[in-house]
Amino acid sequence: MFDGPFDVFAVIIAIVAFLIAIKASSQAAELRRRLNSLEAMLYAQRQVQPPPLLPAQEQAPAAATTAAGPPPLAPEVELVPSPPITEEASPPPLEASTGAETPPPLPAPAPGFEERLGTRWVVWIGGLALALGGFFMVRYSIEAGLVGPGVRVFLGGLFALALLGAGEWTRRKESISSIQALPIANIPAILTAAGTAVAFATIYAAYALYGFLVPATAFVLLSLVALGTLAAALLHGPALAGLGVVGAFVTPILVSSGKPDYWALYIYLAIVTAASFGLARIRLWRWLAVATIVFAVLWIFPGLDTGELQVAPHAFHVIAGFVLAALLVVCGFMFGPTIENGEIEPVSSSSLGAYLFGAMLIVLSSAHADLALIAFTLLVFATLFVAWRAPAATGALGAAAATVFIVFAEWAVRANPDMLVLPGGPMSGIGPAATDSAVTLHLVMAAILAAGFGLTGFLAQGRSNSAIIPVVWSATAVATPIAILIALYARIAHLDRSIPFAVLAVLLAAAFAAATESLTRRETRPGVAISTALFATGTLGALALALTFALEKGWLTIALALMSLGTAWISMQRPIPFLRWLAAIFAGIVTARIAYDPRIVGDAVGTTPIFNWLLWGYGLPALSFWAASIFLRRRGDDAPLRMVEAAAILFTALLAFMEIRHFATGGNMTAAPSLLEFALQACISLAMAIGLERLRLRSHSIVHNVGAIALTAIAGLISVFGLLILENPWLLSSVNVGGAVFNLLLLGYALPAVLMLLLSYAMAGHRPVAYANTLAGGALVFALAYVTLQIRRFYHGPVLLYGGTTGAEQYTYSIGWLAFGVVLLGVGILVNSERARLASAAVIALTILKAFVIDMSTLTGVYRALSFMCLGVVLVAIGWLYQRILFRRQVPPPAPQTSA
């Protein structure tokens, strides 16, 4: 009696066949509809030629010689005799005799719901019902105990043969009748599909449920049914092809044994793949080729995760599939379909890439076994050969380059590189040596693959009229050797300094440079300009690698920055657009390198102020980026230039900030900030902002503009939070400010005030007035803070935080502020500056507020009197100055007296 698994298998096979047949037949119907539309268009455009003229009529104009001429009248047409009818030429149609064009046939109306229901869906549902009916009949006979297992299998086979015979009979009847079958509801194909499904189920039941067949016999029978289904698809269409390919690749799963025979499996799969590819080639079914490739690649995975991987049969599977795909699937190569020259076809490229992916999996799973490596290398070179002969498969070059890099990168990461660079050499029995056979094979492979990609990529330039194809060749020719070199360096040199690898990188750069010079001398061809840029990029990239391999971390930063400068200079000599981007890329790499380790050389910065590794690590890159921006600006303002300019400003600012921090902390870069550090940083930020404000007026660069604003904002944050709050020596900090006059107060408050004032004048007339006035207000605040703190320094010594405020000190604050306001007023009068006079008014107003709020309540005796007396005298004097000097009113002369 049939059990649960058979029922599930039967339903799954039937539903899969039903869905695949519907999809394939829908595609065929769409193709048929497009073909009918194309034929209608061509028939409408074709003009009917007029009948040949008799000798006496040779001078008469023809009725339809041109399409633009109007048709002749009917009486004139009747005067022209009909041409004689011969065996070679049939009489023209009636429309031709009148000279009128044949009207195009009207397009067939789209089928309605009723037509779809009656001619398509009913047929498909009927085919599915036939298959399921056979399964259910057998199940009923089992449940009722009507027949035994042998009879059940016999009846199932008989029903399958009946369906197959009915399908063939209906196909032949349709081929000799005058009724054309609907392509989307092909009754013969449906009957044949149902028959093959029943045949699959019957053979599987005889093997799995009743044990009538040994695995080998069941495997052969199922394989014959699958191959026969593919063969029948030549006559019955894509429905059977889909069912056949699914059945063929599922058969090994249905028939399994305790010890798998991979050779038998992959030989069978090679036969199935060849049949499926052949059918796809004959009928031009791309979907069938893609489905076959997917199933074939999935069959690579069995056995990869076992401890004893059988490399030989797996390698045979990928090689056989690759060869079959190259012969039958790749367009323009051997027996593949034709394609327009210069076009990259996705299926052609992805078919080769899929088998390269499988070969890569075998290499990785086998721990880089020699046979797997050799098979993988052969497939990579086969890919180069096929892509050389068939441009449609050029896309597979990217897959080849990617898999090569993955193989070598995994080899570098998987092994323990420390065992290769121990000072005393590798320990016996622990790690591999650099001369082991596996390492030697990888080195030989690396040299062969790098040379293969590089040479073919260079020689492929100029061979195609398409621009994308030479670009793909050049990209893989540049990227693959560099990637291989990096992987070998990581494996053998363990990312440490290595002069031999630096020499190899220099040789690679020389090869790329020679290719670049050779391409610049060639005639203009599609894609050559981009390929030249790629080879030039490879030259600079290889040089950067040489510096990376040969230099320590600090010198590497400098070298990469100089690479940006060199790239910018080369872009002046060879105006290749990508070189400008490459200069920006190098600047980005150096910036990322600094973000990773701001001290550049770690703890080896040194303790010497200014002249330490920070000066070289930040100063030389800053100079390089400034010079590179000058070179790049000569050919325009674009994104690469702005990136380099941003890096120049960033490294200049970082140089100043890092040197200040190193100086203020005595070389301890992790110490807490101090008043000295905040003061120097504020002054440097303001000074650089002034410089950028002047520079942006000449360069009109948005980067200089944004940089000036950013530095001004940074200076403001440091001034407010650092100098006025956190490190204010009167509020929170107990810092020793130093001497009576030349001290930290002069550096932290007086000098920033002067720089803020200069910055406000530098942007006057070029930025909003509120922006400049804000800076001028900041200058006033810091100047007043300096006067206040300097008075406290006079009374309390170098440490301002401790001690109370005496009456004399409070009176001195008022006098100092008042004197400061008077000085501002004098300056405003002398230079006629309204801003200075307004600042004076603000300071004096603050002094008046202090006198009435603080002095009146805290001062006593003579100090209170003197405070108000001085304030009154100054206010009167100020009023007099305003009346007599600034706003003096002219007395009008007396009116002349008139005599009576």
Side-chain angles (χ1 to χ4, degrees):
M1 182 175 182
F2 285 81
D3 52 8
F6 177 75
D7 297 337
V8 174
F9 170 74
V11 175
I12 290 176
I13 288 293
I15 294 176
V16 168
F18 179 69
L19 295 177
I20 292 176
I22 287 179
K23 181 175 179 57
S25 296
S26 299
Q27 293 175 346
E30 179 66 17
L31 292 176
R32 178 65 63 87
R33 185 187 64 81
R34 294 183 180 181
L35 181 60
N36 292 336
S37 300
L38 183 60
E39 289 177 349
M41 292 175 59
L42 293 177
Y43 186 73
Q45 294 175 357
R46 187 173 62 243
Q47 297 179 359
V48 180
Q49 298 296 330
L53 300 177
L54 296 179
Q57 300 168 339
E58 289 181 357
Q59 302 299 327
T65 54
T66 61
L73 298 178
E76 296 177 355
V77 174
E78 294 176 356
L79 297 177
V80 180
S82 301
I85 300 177
T86 60
E87 296 180 358
E88 289 80 1
S90 60
L94 179 61
E95 293 81 4
S97 64
T98 61
E101 295 182 358
T102 303
L106 296 177
F113 174 77
E114 183 179 3
E115 182 180 355
R116 289 192 182 97
L117 180 64
T119 61
R120 304 180 185 182
W121 300 347
V122 171
V123 177
W124 282 111
I125 296 173
L128 178 62
L130 282 175
L132 293 177
F135 300 150
F136 295 149
M137 178 59 70
V138 175
R139 178 177 181 176
Y140 170 74
S141 65
I142 296 171
E143 293 175 350
L146 300 178
V147 294
V151 179
R152 298 170 196 166
V153 173
F154 174 76
L155 291 177
L158 190 61
F159 184 58
L161 291 177
L163 289 175
L164 293 174
E168 179 62 17
W169 180 79
T170 54
R171 184 190 68 83
R172 295 189 178 186
K173 292 290 289 183
E174 286 186 353
S175 64
I176 62 176
S177 65
S178 59
I179 301 177
Q180 183 180 3
L182 290 175
I184 200 168
N186 197 321
I187 296 176
I190 295 173
L191 292 174
T192 308
T196 55
V198 174
F200 269 114
T202 301
I203 297 173
Y204 179 73
Y207 158 72
L209 301 180
Y210 305 124
F212 292 156
L213 302 176
V214 296
T217 305
F219 183 80
V220 172
L221 292 177
L222 289 175
S223 303
L224 291 176
V225 172
L227 294 176
T229 304
L230 289 174
L234 286 171
L235 302 175
H236 293 280
L240 279 184
L243 181 62
V245 73
V246 172
F249 282 100
V250 169
T251 294
I253 299 178
L254 302 179
V255 182
S256 59
S257 60
K259 186 177 182 181
D261 187 353
Y262 286 104
W263 275 112
L265 170 65
Y266 290 136
I267 290 175
Y268 162 73
L269 291 179
I271 297 173
V272 171
T273 303
S276 183
F277 281 164
L279 178 60
R281 170 64 185 90
I282 294 173
R283 300 298 297 268
L284 296 179
W285 289 338
R286 297 176 61 180
W287 64 269
L288 181 59
V290 172
T292 303
I293 294 169
V294 171
F295 281 119
V297 172
L298 291 177
W299 270 111
I300 299 175
F301 287 92
L304 292 181
D305 56 346
T306 58
E308 299 179 357
L309 173 62
Q310 299 183 22
V311 177
H314 282 78
F316 167 78
H317 176 56
V318 294
I319 292 176
F322 184 94
V323 172
L324 290 172
L327 293 177
L328 299 172
V329 177
V330 175
C331 297
F333 183 78
M334 298 300 288
F335 307 108
T338 58
I339 193 174
E340 184 179 353
N341 189 23
E343 181 181 351
I344 298 179
E345 204 273 322
V347 176
S348 301
S349 301
S350 59
S351 62
L352 302 183
Y355 286 104
L356 283 172
F357 172 76
M360 178 195 72
L361 292 179
I362 297 173
V363 173
L364 302 183
S365 301
S366 64
H368 293 246
D370 292 350
L371 180 59
L373 285 173
I374 294 173
F376 175 74
T377 306
L378 291 176
L379 290 187
V380 171
F381 274 97
T383 303
L384 295 177
F385 174 74
V386 174
W388 182 273
R389 298 292 301 274
T394 306
L397 295 175
T403 53
V404 167
F405 174 71
I406 292 174
V407 165
F408 280 94
E410 194 272 344
W411 178 65
V413 174
R414 177 182 54 85
N416 186 0
D418 295 335
M419 297 301 173
L420 302 175
V421 292
L422 289 176
M427 299 180 183
S428 176
I430 296 181
T435 57
D436 286 351
S437 59
V439 178
T440 303
L441 180 60
H442 280 80
L443 293 177
V444 173
M445 281 181 53
I448 295 175
L449 290 172
F453 274 95
L455 289 175
T456 54
F458 172 72
L459 296 176
Q461 303 303 312
R463 295 182 68 250
S464 176
N465 294 326
S466 174
I468 186 63
I469 290 177
V471 171
V472 174
W473 277 104
S474 59
T476 55
V478 171
T480 307
I482 291 179
I484 292 175
L485 185 61
I486 294 174
L488 294 179
Y489 169 70
R491 164 69 189 237
I492 296 176
H494 193 21
L495 303 179
D496 287 333
R497 184 170 176 265
S498 175
I499 298 301
F501 276 99
V503 172
L504 290 177
V506 170
L507 294 177
L508 184 60
F512 288 153
T516 304
E517 288 298 319
S518 176
L519 291 178
T520 54
R521 299 190 187 98
R522 294 187 181 183
E523 61 178 353
T524 303
R525 296 277 295 175
V528 171
I530 301 178
S531 298
T532 305
L534 289 174
F535 277 106
T537 303
T539 302
L540 298 173
L543 287 176
L545 283 180
L547 296 173
T548 304
F549 297 159
L551 300 177
E552 299 293 342
K553 291 181 289 186
W555 289 110
L556 174 61
T557 304
I558 298 172
L560 292 176
L562 293 175
M563 289 295 299
S564 179
L565 173 59
T567 306
W569 181 80
I570 293 174
S571 69
M572 294 290 298
Q573 312 303 319
R574 294 286 187 272
I576 301 173
F578 186 74
L579 292 179
R580 299 174 65 87
W581 280 104
L582 187 60
I585 290 173
F586 279 123
I589 294 174
V590 177
T591 304
R593 166 71 179 84
I594 292 298
Y596 173 74
D597 186 4
R599 294 179 296 175
I600 301 177
V601 290
D603 296 331
V605 174
T607 57
T608 304
I610 308 301
F611 298 99
N612 47 51
W613 251 108
L614 296 174
L615 179 62
W616 315 117
Y618 285 97
L620 290 178
L623 289 176
S624 299
F625 295 146
W626 281 115
S629 66
I630 294 174
F631 287 133
L632 294 177
R633 181 167 289 278
R634 293 178 181 177
R635 292 191 176 273
D637 187 356
D638 54 3
L641 169 64
R642 295 170 186 174
M643 294 173 64
V644 175
E645 286 180 339
I649 296 173
L650 176 64
F651 272 79
T652 303
L654 288 176
L655 171 64
F657 292 154
M658 296 298 288
E659 285 285 12
I660 288 172
R661 180 156 187 77
H662 183 274
F663 171 76
T665 59
N668 184 10
M669 305 295 288
T670 59
S674 62
L675 177 62
L676 175 63
E677 181 178 352
F678 281 142
L680 291 174
Q681 288 178 347
C683 293
I684 289 295
S685 300
L686 291 169
M688 289 189 295
I690 294 172
L692 285 178
E693 286 289 346
R694 296 298 185 185
L695 180 60
R696 78 178 183 89
L697 297 179
R698 296 196 303 268
S699 66
H700 303 286
S701 171
I702 188 175
V703 176
H704 296 161
N705 183 25
V706 174
I709 296 175
L711 286 172
T712 303
I714 292 173
L717 292 175
I718 294 174
S719 301
V720 173
F721 294 100
L723 297 176
L724 294 180
I725 299 177
L726 297 178
E727 291 298 324
N728 191 319
W730 193 359
L731 296 179
L732 300 175
S733 175
S734 60
V735 61
N736 187 329
V737 298
V741 177
F742 298 100
N743 49 37
L744 289 179
L745 301 177
L746 184 67
L747 181 64
Y749 297 91
L751 185 56
V754 174
L755 292 173
M756 288 180 186
L757 186 62
L758 293 176
L759 181 57
S760 68
Y761 278 105
M763 65 179 60
H766 305 289
R767 292 195 185 276
V769 177
Y771 191 13
N773 289 340
T774 301
L775 284 170
L780 178 62
V781 170
F782 268 77
L784 189 60
Y786 172 71
V787 172
T788 305
L789 293 174
Q790 189 64 33
I791 293 173
R792 187 168 180 81
R793 166 67 180 80
F794 176 77
Y795 282 95
H796 292 269
V799 180
L800 312 183
L801 184 62
Y802 306 109
T805 303
T806 63
E809 181 182 351
Q810 197 70 261
Y811 172 74
T812 307
Y813 289 140
S814 298
I815 296 299
W817 290 8
L818 196 59
F820 179 57
V822 172
V823 171
L824 287 176
L825 179 61
V827 173
I829 294 174
L830 290 177
V831 301
N832 193 21
S833 172
E834 182 183 6
R835 182 183 295 176
R837 295 193 300 269
L838 291 177
S840 170
V843 173
I844 292 175
L846 183 63
T847 306
I848 295 172
L849 181 64
K850 176 181 180 298
F852 284 95
V853 174
I854 299 177
D855 293 354
M856 185 177 293
S857 60
T858 58
L859 295 180
T860 59
V862 66
Y863 289 115
R864 177 186 295 180
L866 290 176
S867 174
F868 279 90
M869 290 173 59
C870 292
L871 179 62
V873 171
V874 170
L875 291 179
V876 172
I878 291 173
W880 181 84
L881 287 174
Y882 268 83
Q883 292 178 7
R884 296 295 180 178
I885 298 177
L886 293 177
F887 300 102
R888 184 174 59 180
R889 296 182 179 181
Q890 300 292 336
V891 178
Q897 297 180 359
T898 60
S899 59

